[in-house]
Amino acid sequence: MASLMKHIAQPEVLEGFWTQSLANTLWGFATLAVPDESGLFDAVATRILEPQMLATCSPQAVANIAWAFAKVGAHNDKLMAHIAYRVMEPQFLALARPQILANVAWAFAHLGVKNESLLVAIAHEVKGRGGLVGFKAQEVSNIAWAFATLGSLHDQLMAEIARHVCSPRVLADFRPQEVSNLVWAFAKLGLDNHHEVLNAVAKAMLEPGFLVQCHPQSIATITWAFAKLQVRDEPLLAALAEQLLDPGYLSTFGPQALSNLVWALAKLEFRDEAVVVALARRVQQEDVLAHSTAQGISNLAWAFAHLGVHDDTLMAALGRTLQERGLLDSLTSQGVANTAWAFATLNVHDPPLMVGLARRALDADVRPTFTAQGVANTVWAFATLGILDQDLLLMMSQKVRLPTFLDTFPPQESANTLWAFATLGVAEDEGLMITMVNHLSRNSFLDQFNAQELSNTAWAFAAMDYLDPNLMVLIAERATQPSLLGTLNQQEVANLAWAYGRLQPADVTSQQAMADRVHILLPALAERMLEDPEFLRGFTPQGITNTIWALARLEIRLTAVMQRVAERLLADDFLSIYNSQEVANTAWAFATLGIHQPELMAAITARSMDQDVLQNLKPQEMTNLVWSLQRLGADVTELDRALTAQLRDNAQASLWFDSKMFRLEDTSD
């Protein structure tokens, strides 16, 4: 074949070929998948571009030439431009059979040649014929695939395709590959207003024998399309699960198909334990790991984390593959963010991997491509894992301060980024804080925040000890809106209360503005604690302590709330899990507010003398604890003796003995 191609490529031989014979010759070589090592296709292109050659080509010959060039991957932009002009001629379109239109569209898409005028002409021709009656399944599928591949959305054409495939018995003629191309096209073009297509496809796939015929790549692509368009079909997923668990079936999935499938199932929130375990086992096999791409590994990590699959062996294998195969160097910014997020979500510590991800994020080609979500997920991940990388943090903070970049941050990304900066201890970056304050203070922006986002934002500013009174007033106003207040969980109530207890304005005007709003917010938060006994039971010791500490710090005396808190601490031996700081701050809150609870104070005294508390009390906590108990009339003789004995030979003893004034100071973190 190679010698024949070389012979035909000679100018004197080609001179004897006319259009139909050229088309047939190219079609034959392309069909046989013969590599063009002789330059035949280039020589033929030159011949076809001679005057009058294309003009005399029949529609079938033109389509065959285009198809052949695409099939062997022979790129010739000048030829394709001339073919497009020929196809757009009214007489050509009128004579073109459905297969010709489909093959031309497929050829241009396969070669990545986007000629919008040609696509418009094909779409109009389909409409002018009154639809797709007479088009075969493969032709419909190829047209849809071609338009999607070239990113050309023609609503009327896609609506006609949707109408056609939803007609009775039409999908029965579609083979799995054609179904795959069809739904992929709708998903790729983001056509989420045609769920009827996916519903019809799901029904067709449940016909006996269909799933068995599906190639793994088709299964993965179809599932991906359903996930992309957020269509969850329970009967189809159940049938798919059964097929995936068929012995040996998953072993036929290659790395790309497997990655796409797992990602899609995660997006569809599909958590069938047997299927997920089988997928995790397959992913760890050497033939998958050895041939997976960086994006594939990143997608797998994200998917398993999203599904909450806690498998350290699996995550170690994914992390090791990224590092040992040098795949870190080909991760995109999204890949960096997704991988970091996955390991942090599952609380899997892999320091070398995180170092590698940080270095990749700092790469000159990667750094500018981070989106708002990428920045937020990356810094959140490093903060969650407790990894402080100064260079990465500096780069991310600089990116956040770029003009208009922060405007792209929705509430969740804004809150997560702030939380991460606060958790990692960014406290002296004035420029960053001003930028964040301005971003959050935009008109009505905080009205889009949910309870978690709002409480994390307030907590972050307090943790960084950065106060902007106007912003804190806005946060308080949002927190007291009934639509949000009723959704606050225990941690969010505690975080909000603690934030306002910690941040105190210096100037009188700001003090008054914040005080007015805080004296509405804090009682509202406290009232939330009283709504349901079970709600209060859901608080952690730190949550309760921080909430009442804030009430005391702000001198907001709510007797009913404190009574209920006392009852909670005395029930179920709850006080026994309080640590030293929580014990001291609880006593301090009751004493500062002047609320006498003799039984609780006796219990706190007893708890204070337990070794796990006694040995961990800091000097100021000791001071406040004894002051509080004495103020509320508790007998601290034994506690004083225990503390004195503990500190007698300690360098801190002088602090203890000199603290008889029992100064009231903040001991809350």
Side-chain angles (χ1 to χ4, degrees):
M1 282 295 180
S3 59
L4 178 59
M5 292 181 79
K6 184 176 180 180
H7 172 71
I8 297 173
Q10 298 177 79
E12 61 273 18
V13 177
L14 272 181
E15 193 66 29
F17 281 72
W18 199 240
T19 54
Q20 188 62 50
S21 56
L22 284 173
N24 290 345
T25 301
L26 291 179
W27 181 89
F29 283 120
T31 301
L32 293 171
V34 179
D36 180 19
E37 298 175 351
S38 61
L40 173 63
F41 277 75
D42 285 339
V44 170
T46 301
R47 174 80 173 114
I48 292 172
L49 288 171
E50 291 177 6
Q52 299 305 308
M53 286 291 285
L54 267 179
T56 61
C57 274
S58 68
Q60 184 66 60
V62 171
N64 284 355
I65 291 169
W67 179 89
F69 269 79
K71 189 70 174 176
V72 301
H75 292 264
N76 190 301
D77 291 342
K78 187 175 181 180
L79 174 63
M80 298 307 291
H82 278 74
I83 287 176
Y85 289 133
R86 175 78 174 97
V87 172
M88 287 187 285
E89 293 174 2
Q91 187 177 5
F92 183 103
L93 289 169
L95 295 173
R97 294 179 291 107
Q99 183 187 25
I100 292 171
L101 295 177
N103 282 359
V104 169
W106 179 90
F108 275 77
H110 195 74
L111 290 169
V113 179
K114 185 175 183 178
N115 187 311
E116 192 61 40
S117 298
L118 172 64
L119 297 173
V120 169
I122 293 174
H124 284 175
E125 180 61 25
V126 171
K127 180 183 177 183
R129 295 184 181 190
L132 292 161
V133 176
F135 281 70
K136 295 178 181 178
Q138 185 178 22
E139 294 157 0
V140 174
S141 171
N142 281 354
I143 288 175
W145 178 88
F147 276 72
T149 298
L150 293 171
S152 182
L153 174 57
H154 289 258
D155 289 323
Q156 291 185 342
L157 173 64
M158 298 307 293
E160 182 53 42
I161 291 175
R163 188 200 64 76
H164 177 72
V165 300
C166 290
S167 299
R169 299 298 305 163
V170 168
L171 278 175
D173 295 330
F174 276 63
R175 293 173 297 181
Q177 182 61 52
E178 293 156 0
V179 170
S180 172
N181 286 350
L182 175 71
V183 295
W184 178 87
F186 276 83
K188 186 69 173 178
L189 291 171
L191 293 170
D192 56 4
N193 59 334
H194 285 293
H195 285 185
E196 73 277 9
V197 173
L198 273 70
N199 293 336
V201 165
K203 185 177 179 181
M205 292 180 70
L206 292 174
E207 291 294 323
F210 188 94
L211 281 174
V212 176
Q213 301 173 39
C214 282
H215 187 274
Q217 188 60 53
S218 294
I219 288 287
T221 300
I222 292 169
T223 311
W224 175 89
F226 274 75
K228 196 74 173 175
L229 294 176
Q230 300 179 34
V231 176
R232 181 184 170 98
D233 188 283
E234 296 294 347
L236 177 59
L237 285 173
L240 178 60
E242 184 177 351
Q243 179 71 24
L244 292 173
L245 292 174
D246 192 55
Y249 183 66
L250 271 178
S251 65
T252 64
F253 278 69
Q256 183 179 353
L258 198 60
S259 175
N260 287 350
L261 176 64
V262 176
W263 180 91
L265 292 175
K267 290 291 285 186
L268 290 170
E269 307 291 346
F270 183 75
R271 289 180 165 81
D272 183 290
E273 184 176 358
V275 172
V276 172
V277 168
L279 288 168
R281 188 182 304 119
R282 172 66 181 134
V283 163
Q284 295 177 67
Q285 292 176 348
E286 185 58 31
D287 63 312
V288 174
L289 295 175
H291 298 95
S292 291
T293 63
Q295 182 180 358
I297 294 293
S298 173
N299 285 351
L300 285 168
W302 176 90
F304 282 112
H306 186 77
L307 291 171
V309 179
H310 292 269
D311 185 334
D312 289 348
T313 303
L314 167 66
M315 298 305 290
L318 296 178
R320 185 170 58 252
T321 300
L322 283 173
Q323 296 173 78
E324 293 181 355
R325 289 186 50 214
L327 296 179
L328 285 172
D329 292 336
S330 55
L331 278 176
T332 63
S333 57
Q334 184 179 13
V336 169
N338 284 354
T339 304
W341 179 90
F343 277 75
T345 297
L346 295 174
N347 195 31
V348 177
H349 292 259
D350 188 336
L353 173 64
M354 300 306 289
V355 169
L357 291 174
R359 297 289 75 76
R360 179 60 179 163
L362 292 166
D363 188 274
D365 294 330
V366 176
R367 186 168 48 201
T369 66
F370 271 93
T371 63
Q373 186 178 41
V375 168
N377 284 355
T378 302
V379 295
W380 177 88
F382 275 77
T384 299
L385 292 171
I387 300 173
L388 176 59
D389 188 297
Q390 294 285 8
D391 292 335
L392 176 67
L393 205 59
L394 176 61
M395 183 272 282
M396 290 298 189
S397 66
Q398 289 173 340
K399 189 166 181 66
V400 166
R401 280 178 286 184
L402 290 175
T404 73
F405 181 64
L406 203 53
D407 294 342
T408 66
F409 279 58
Q412 183 178 15
E413 280 68 28
S414 300
N416 284 357
T417 301
L418 261 174
W419 178 89
F421 283 140
T423 301
L424 291 172
V426 177
E428 298 180 359
D429 193 332
E430 184 74 14
L432 173 64
M433 302 311 295
I434 291 174
T435 301
M436 295 299 297
V437 167
N438 291 338
H439 167 64
L440 295 167
S441 301
R442 292 178 298 157
N443 288 341
S444 304
F445 183 52
L446 287 174
D447 290 342
Q448 303 172 36
F449 279 52
N450 63 27
Q452 183 182 38
E453 293 156 358
L454 196 72
S455 68
N456 281 355
T457 299
W459 178 90
F461 278 101
M464 291 186 281
D465 201 23
Y466 187 90
L467 172 62
D468 184 277
N470 293 331
L471 175 62
M472 296 306 291
V473 167
L474 291 174
I475 291 175
E477 289 174 349
R478 171 61 178 145
T480 51
Q481 292 176 6
S483 60
L484 186 133
L485 186 62
T487 67
L488 290 168
N489 65 25
Q490 293 89 341
Q491 184 64 51
E492 291 153 3
V493 167
N495 282 355
L496 281 167
W498 179 84
Y500 282 90
R502 185 174 178 85
L503 293 175
Q504 296 293 314
D507 66 279
V508 176
T509 303
S510 296
Q511 282 180 353
Q512 189 58 52
M514 268 192 69
D516 291 344
R517 182 50 58 180
V518 167
H519 278 75
I520 296 174
L521 172 62
L522 267 293
L525 295 177
E527 192 66 29
R528 180 94 173 93
M529 300 173 71
L530 300 180
E531 289 178 359
D532 180 0
E534 289 304 312
F535 187 78
L536 183 57
R537 288 177 62 85
F539 274 82
T540 62
Q542 184 182 30
I544 289 182
T545 304
N546 284 355
T547 303
I548 63 173
W549 172 85
L551 291 173
R553 183 80 186 275
L554 295 166
E555 300 179 358
I556 299 175
R557 194 175 193 274
L558 301 173
T559 306
V561 172
M562 301 301 285
Q563 172 65 34
R564 190 71 62 84
V565 168
E567 293 170 0
R568 173 69 187 112
L569 268 60
L570 291 169
D572 305 322
D573 203 25
F574 189 52
L575 197 59
S576 67
I577 62 174
Y578 269 52
N579 63 29
S580 57
Q581 185 185 53
E582 293 157 358
V583 168
N585 282 355
T586 297
W588 181 87
F590 275 86
T592 299
L593 293 172
I595 295 177
H596 292 262
Q597 289 286 335
E599 186 179 357
L600 175 62
M601 292 306 115
I604 286 178
T605 302
R607 174 67 181 136
S608 300
M609 288 189 288
D610 289 340
Q611 288 302 304
D612 61 314
V613 173
L614 192 66
Q615 292 178 1
N616 290 293
L617 283 167
K618 297 175 183 177
Q620 190 58 54
E621 292 168 353
M622 297 177 187
T623 301
N624 287 353
L625 178 61
V626 174
W627 172 85
S628 302
L629 293 171
Q630 284 186 328
R631 183 175 184 183
L632 294 175
D635 184 355
V636 296
T637 304
E638 291 299 321
L639 176 60
D640 198 359
R641 185 178 296 115
L643 290 171
T644 302
Q646 179 180 322
L647 293 173
R648 188 179 308 280
D649 300 321
N650 192 290
Q652 297 173 333
S654 60
L655 175 61
W656 166 250
F657 289 113
D658 290 343
S659 64
K660 296 304 181 181
M661 291 178 61
F662 303 125
R663 294 179 295 110
L664 281 70
E665 291 189 9
D666 175 17
T667 63
S668 174
D669 286 340

